[in-house]
Amino acid sequence: MRPEVLPGYEQLATVLDAALEQAQAGKGKERHAGQGQAFHDQQIVQLCEWMGSTQGDVFQAAKKAIESTRLPPERAIAELLGAIVYLAGAVIVIKRSQEPK
């Protein structure tokens, strides 16, 4: 369940919503999702699990952040939203690694 957005956190919620939208309906879905494939079953998560490391997702997020510094505002925002999604993938991998087998 999604937490309530408290006063003063509305702008953060808007950015996180935009990252979610990009992943589920935008560029992320076009490039990474198989038909009907859940985010946690996509390559962004699976590759890190197969390699036993979140370094791939963290590297991709850093790369996108650096690339954003050389782009016009709208493209920079898209890259930064993509970085947020990669970091979310890393969080999922870490949480899954802590689950009992």
Side-chain angles (χ1 to χ4, degrees):
M1 196 65 168
R2 187 165 188 210
E4 175 187 352
V5 178
L6 299 176
Y9 289 86
E10 299 89 357
Q11 289 184 21
L12 174 59
T14 299
V15 170
L16 296 175
D17 286 345
L20 174 62
E21 181 63 20
Q22 184 186 79
Q24 68 184 11
K27 181 178 164 183
K29 183 178 180 184
E30 292 171 11
R31 290 190 177 181
H32 303 292
Q35 189 167 359
Q37 191 176 36
F39 179 77
H40 57 270
D41 291 330
Q42 294 175 21
Q43 289 179 355
I44 191 173
V45 174
Q46 285 186 337
L47 289 173
C48 287
E49 288 184 324
W50 294 337
M51 294 185 308
S53 171
T54 59
Q55 289 180 356
D57 282 354
V58 172
F59 170 79
Q60 282 295 105
K63 180 176 164 269
K64 287 183 165 296
I66 291 167
E67 289 170 350
S68 76
T69 66
R70 297 187 290 263
L71 297 171
E74 287 304 310
R75 289 183 53 207
I77 290 168
E79 288 299 308
L80 292 170
L81 293 174
I84 291 168
V85 172
Y86 271 105
L87 292 173
V91 169
I92 290 169
V93 171
I94 292 168
K95 286 187 171 210
R96 279 183 168 184
S97 73
Q98 295 175 326
E99 293 174 357
K101 301 283 180 195

